[in-house]
Amino acid sequence: MKIPEKILFSKEQIENRIRELVSSIAEDFRDREIVIVGILKGSFIFLADLVRLMYEYNIHPQVDFMILSSYGGSTYPSTMVKIERDLSISVEGKAVLVVDDILDTGRTMQYVKERLRWLEPEIVRTCVLLDKPARRIVDITPDYTGFQIEDEFVVGFGLDYNGFHREKPYIAVIQNPESAD
Ligand code: IMP
Ligand code: MG
């Protein structure tokens, strides 16, 4: 599968930005019991970098994951978000940081925040590597954002197109994914 791509953010740019994010997160979350909630699959690489840097800032979170389905192989979001895997550790009274690869329509993050409210955490903050505000449907702004991007379909650093490209160490725009093989 060979698709033309344009690199938006290099490995070094992403590394530097993640370090800045962790520095502000560390300041805001200090002395709290923290649970990082990763939204799979897209967040796994970003989250792994975040938590490893947290160690350097003397932050020692628990980590859990949720799997939600909303895309189903297309670049267009479906109207439904469904929980495929829920949290398995308690977040009651704790500080929760929800981590995702990208905030697009906002439906996924909104759904996760509603789900979390039932579990009575002390605070919930959201952290995304990328924010694509042009396509927002739900009124939601991430607390920590790596980079804002235009209305383009991107892959790499955990983000996929049809399950591929997640391993790329950079973020790239792929042209016209719908017509790709
Ligand atoms: P939302 O619910 O529309 O905000 O969608 C969030 C999810 O859509 C993300 O977790 C991604 O999995 C997926 N997504 C949105 N935009 C892109 C993109 O440009 N590239 C790859 N995945 C995307
Ligand atoms: Mg995702």
Side-chain angles (χ1 to χ4, degrees), residues 71 100-102 104-108 132 152-154 159-160:
Y71 255 68
D100 206 354
D101 50 359
I102 184 165
D104 186 22
T105 66
R107 285 201 190 99
T108 307
K132 207 196 277 186
E152 293 178 301
F153 196 82
V154 295
L159 291 116
D160 73 307

Side-chain angles (χ1 to χ4, degrees), residues 37-88:
V37 173
I39 311 301
L40 291 177
K41 303 171 189 171
S43 70
F44 78 110
I45 291 180
F46 178 42
L47 184 145
D49 279 1
L50 281 176
V51 297
R52 280 178 296 188
L53 278 173
M54 282 180 180
Y55 176 84
E56 293 182 20
Y57 285 85
N58 209 20
I59 303 276
H60 306 291
Q62 287 180 290
V63 178
D64 204 352
F65 294 97
M66 285 176 84
I67 301 183
L68 297 139
S69 54
S70 69
Y71 255 68
S74 160
T75 53
Y76 289 96
S78 60
T79 49
M80 295 292 291
V81 178
K82 199 176 112 209
I83 297 184
E84 308 274 1
R85 189 219 184 253
D86 207 348
L87 295 181
S88 63

